[in-house]
Amino acid sequence: MIDIIYFSNITGNTARFVEKLSINGEKHRIPIKGDFVFTPTNPYIIVTPTYGDPYGKGMVPHQVKKFLSEETNRQYLKGVISSGNINFGAEYGMAGEIISHRFQVPLLYKFELAGMPEDVTKVNLGLKILDATYNQKETN
């Protein structure tokens, strides 16, 4: 079973996207303020927006960095999905690339803002395949 852990700021774009996803696992939101009180015990995908300034700093939200700084939180990380704005050019969805590189997990998908219906369809298909893969590993 694959869970989703995600961060969404006050615009709610990432939250709206995640709420459209169909998964067998659970969805857990990293809070905007305060500490994340859940410790992952299942394989999960992290979904994050991309931030940044014109110089490419601060692309991964502080809350996501804080969550991933805990080794116990990274133990079950299996992939990353990131959002962004294509107006940012090369920086579009860069938070996913940074997390993928840093933690050696695949960047599974990038979507713009709150995503389009076809983004939801593609991610749901990918999550279904991942879920089947992890369910098969658990039964063997």
Side-chain angles (χ1 to χ4, degrees):
M1 173 175 4
I2 293 283
D3 290 343
I4 292 178
I5 297 177
Y6 68 100
F7 175 73
S8 187
N9 63 17
I10 57 173
T11 65
N13 284 333
T14 306
R16 282 192 295 281
F17 181 79
V18 168
E19 289 309 313
K20 295 175 196 170
L21 298 177
S22 302
I23 62 167
N24 290 328
E26 297 180 9
K27 298 173 184 174
H28 301 277
R29 184 175 182 167
I30 299 170
I32 295 172
K33 294 183 179 180
D35 291 329
F36 190 70
V37 295
F38 175 79
T39 301
T41 57
N42 290 323
Y44 73 91
I45 303 302
I46 194 157
V47 182
T48 182
T50 299
Y51 293 164
D53 62 21
Y55 306 103
K57 295 182 181 177
M59 299 235 173
V60 178
H62 168 74
Q63 296 87 338
V64 175
K65 284 183 189 177
K66 184 176 178 183
F67 172 76
L68 291 174
S69 71
E70 298 290 329
E71 186 175 345
T72 56
N73 291 343
R74 294 191 307 268
Q75 183 177 353
Y76 294 99
L77 176 63
K78 300 301 178 188
V80 60
I81 295 172
S82 63
S83 69
N85 186 320
I86 60 171
N87 291 335
F88 295 132
E91 283 83 30
Y92 165 67
M94 186 63 78
E97 293 180 32
I98 292 167
I99 292 169
S100 172
H101 178 75
R102 168 94 196 259
F103 300 109
Q104 298 299 295
V105 296
L107 172 59
L108 300 170
Y109 199 79
K110 290 183 185 181
F111 63 94
E112 186 173 23
L113 304 173
M116 300 296 289
E118 49 275 9
D119 296 316
V120 173
T121 299
K122 289 176 183 178
V123 171
N124 275 333
L125 179 59
L127 290 173
K128 192 175 193 176
I129 292 167
L130 277 173
D131 196 48
T133 301
Y134 284 104
N135 283 337
Q136 186 177 32
K137 285 181 182 178
E138 289 175 4
T139 58
N140 289 338

